[in-house]
Amino acid sequence: MAKTIVITGAGDGLGRALSRRFATDGDTVILLGRTLAKIEAVAAEIGAPHFAIECDVANPDSVRAAFAVIAARHPKIDVLINNAAVYEPFTLAEVTDAQIATQININLAGPIYCAREALPLLRGGGQIINVSSETASLKMPMLWLYGGTKTALELMSDMWARELTPEGVRVTIVQAGMMMDETKTGSAWAPEVSMRFGVENAKAGINLRERPISHYNSAASAFRALIDTPADLHIPFVALRGHRAA
């Protein structure tokens, strides 16, 4: 049965791949993102009935406004995928106020705002999927704040799952490893930051050059399986990692 799926951070990367996949499968996709041009481009590509709404997940008023538009068109949704996130490497000594606020507000507060506003539309059979990161368990140097926000998201997800079970809402954590597609040509970080990040990880025994990378489309297949899980089965946690085919 076709589902109505809300995806944050839908204009690029995994969010875009998920939007394309679910639209192809016949679901209705609602794309949320800070940069309207990006999500409108994806919505135009996949066509009606899918639509884009500008939404800054770090801003509770923006989230409220976005879900008011959604509720007016779809009083019931089946899935919320909290995918929007930002990450940037830095040390404790050099991190700025803006960097701290940005990561905490987008990566941690954002899923809370979105889940809170989506809850009335999800009750009675909905699903929340919170996208985490392998950095929550791998503890990569210089990504301590990103990993910290994802660790907190995982803990919250476990507690939401217990809290929302009586309301018929399942909560799943997807802890994702490194992934990309053909449009991702490299890091936006300054070259010296990227180099230092690689060196510090190598010191910790993490060789970034040797870590396998999966394709966004492959990850989308895993999300498809999660969303199609029968209602009497709950999968609380999934870890996705790149794999080198033989």
Side-chain angles (χ1 to χ4, degrees):
M1 181 180 295
K3 299 180 184 298
T4 301
I5 303 170
V6 178
I7 304 172
T8 70
D12 201 0
L14 177 62
R16 180 173 58 192
L18 292 172
S19 300
R20 289 168 170 167
R21 172 61 188 265
F22 298 142
T24 298
D25 291 344
D27 299 304
T28 297
V29 182
I30 303 168
L31 302 90
L32 304 185
R34 282 187 299 172
T35 306
L36 185 59
K38 281 188 175 182
I39 53 173
E40 284 186 333
V42 180
E45 174 194 334
I46 61 181
H50 322 290
F51 61 96
I53 305 174
E54 184 175 7
C55 178
D56 178 0
V57 300
N59 182 328
D61 290 332
S62 179
V63 174
R64 272 189 283 269
F67 277 89
V69 173
I70 293 170
R73 297 180 62 169
H74 293 277
K76 179 77 174 72
I77 63 173
D78 300 290
V79 184
L80 165 67
I81 301 179
N82 279 315
N83 167 71
V86 294
Y87 65 100
E88 183 182 2
F90 38 67
T91 64
L92 178 60
E94 68 194 16
V95 64
T96 67
D97 293 350
Q99 288 170 319
I100 294 169
T102 295
Q103 292 207 26
I104 291 176
N105 290 336
I106 293 177
N107 300 355
L108 189 55
I112 300 172
Y113 296 145
C114 290
R116 180 182 64 184
E117 299 307 316
L119 184 56
L121 312 180
L122 289 165
R123 288 190 175 105
Q127 184 177 19
I128 298 170
I129 299 179
N130 289 326
V131 180
S132 181
S133 163
E134 66 178 353
T135 60
S137 54
L138 194 57
K139 298 179 174 63
M140 300 175 77
M142 298 180 68
L143 286 184
W144 51 268
L145 184 52
Y146 178 63
T149 59
K150 293 302 187 180
T151 299
L153 180 62
E154 291 185 8
L155 184 145
M156 291 192 313
S157 298
D158 284 340
M159 298 183 74
W160 290 356
R162 181 172 59 195
E163 178 182 319
L164 298 179
T165 292
E167 308 215 41
V169 178
R170 295 176 292 176
V171 182
T172 296
I173 304 156
V174 176
Q175 193 185 86
M178 293 174 63
M179 61 182 73
M180 62 175 55
D181 65 11
E182 295 76 13
T183 67
K184 192 168 182 179
T185 57
S187 170
W189 305 333
E192 61 272 17
V193 173
S194 296
M195 182 174 296
R196 189 153 55 97
F197 178 65
V199 169
E200 292 304 317
N201 275 271
K203 289 178 183 177
I206 303 170
N207 190 329
L208 300 178
R209 293 181 179 274
E210 294 182 354
R211 294 186 61 76
I213 301 173
S214 62
H215 197 286
Y216 290 129
N217 292 342
S218 300
S221 295
F223 280 79
R224 175 80 267 168
L226 277 176
I227 286 172
D228 290 341
T229 301
D232 62 345
L233 181 64
H234 177 219
I235 302 176
F237 181 89
V238 174
L240 304 179
R241 299 291 186 268
H243 176 69
R244 288 190 178 89

